[in-house]
């Protein structure tokens, strides 16, 4: 689906998210709320634009949804494989488990006391927009803590 979003340059852009039909309406509403709140998105392309590589997509700070892959560090399929998970600005919002920060080059963003444009924090406009539509946030998990991740 094509989604309008506010870029880091302050302009409106169109991107593509591949999601399950059952969550499509809520995704449109979430990203409408994010745009209205002034929250910036770096880029939004399907993971296929990165050859399905989660790592390449994260390094590009790409907001994406569907990616047919297993759970990071675990067994079974990720909610991304069902189109029911979205990673938002993954560079500013890394996946953290112990000393592992993914992407590694985003380690400076592991310090969540910072207030940097594009970061997601508990009870902010991003978390609230997703929560209001029934999505849970990986930033509230204890191990791993996945600040970029929302799922339904």
């Amino acid at each position: 689906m094509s989604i309008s979003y506010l870029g880091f340059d302050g302009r409106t852009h169109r991107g593509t998210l591949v999601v399950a039909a059952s969550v499509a309406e809520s995704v449109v509403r979430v990203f409408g709320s994010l745009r209205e709140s002034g929250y910036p998105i770096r880029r939004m392309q399907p993971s296929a634009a990165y050859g399905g590589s989660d790592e390449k997509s994260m390094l590009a700070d790409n907001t994406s949804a569907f990616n047919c892959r297993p759970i990071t560090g675990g067994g079974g399929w990720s909610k991304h494989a069902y189109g029911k998970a979205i990673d938002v600005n993954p560079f500013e919002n890394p996946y953290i488990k112990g000393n592992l920060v993914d992407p590694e080059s985003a380690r400076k963003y592991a310090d969540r006391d910072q207030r940097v444009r594009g970061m997601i924090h508990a009870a902010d406009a991003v978390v609230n927009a997703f929560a209001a539509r029934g999505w849970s946030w990986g930033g509230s998990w204890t191990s791993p803590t996945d600040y970029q991740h929302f799922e339904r």
Side-chain angles (χ1 to χ4, degrees):
M1 75 174 30
S2 181
I3 301 277
S4 291
Y5 66 92
L6 181 69
F8 274 74
D9 61 3
R11 296 180 9 206
T12 299
H13 298 269
R14 299 275 308 163
T16 302
L17 287 176
V18 179
V19 298
S22 62
V23 300
E25 184 178 332
S26 70
V27 170
V28 169
R29 292 184 188 279
V30 164
F31 282 91
S33 292
L34 298 185
R35 193 175 58 255
E36 289 172 15
S37 74
Y39 180 78
I41 302 288
R42 180 82 57 199
R43 70 182 37 87
M44 185 185 293
Q45 298 179 307
S47 61
Y50 301 92
S53 168
D54 198 39
E55 190 67 22
K56 288 178 183 175
S57 183
M58 285 191 297
L59 287 171
D61 205 12
N62 183 51
T63 294
S64 65
F66 173 78
N67 191 358
C68 191
R69 64 174 180 80
I71 295 169
T72 302
W77 291 107
S78 164
K79 289 248 183 173
H80 289 284
Y82 300 101
K84 294 184 175 185
I86 300 173
D87 288 342
V88 178
N89 290 342
F91 204 82
E92 290 83 5
N93 301 293
Y95 170 98
I96 300 170
K97 185 171 184 178
N99 290 326
L100 170 73
V101 176
D102 198 12
E104 172 61 36
S105 54
R107 184 168 288 280
K108 71 179 182 178
Y109 296 107
D111 175 3
R112 303 312 285 182
D113 290 332
Q114 303 178 78
R115 295 290 172 173
V116 175
R117 229 172 143 228
M119 285 179 91
I120 300 169
H121 294 90
D124 72 5
V126 181
V127 173
N128 289 339
F130 275 98
R133 289 151 186 97
W135 293 72
S136 61
W137 180 45
S140 63
W141 303 343
T142 54
S143 184
T145 307
D146 197 354
Y147 292 106
Q148 63 195 263
H149 184 87
F150 292 88
E151 67 179 47
R152 187 161 161 205

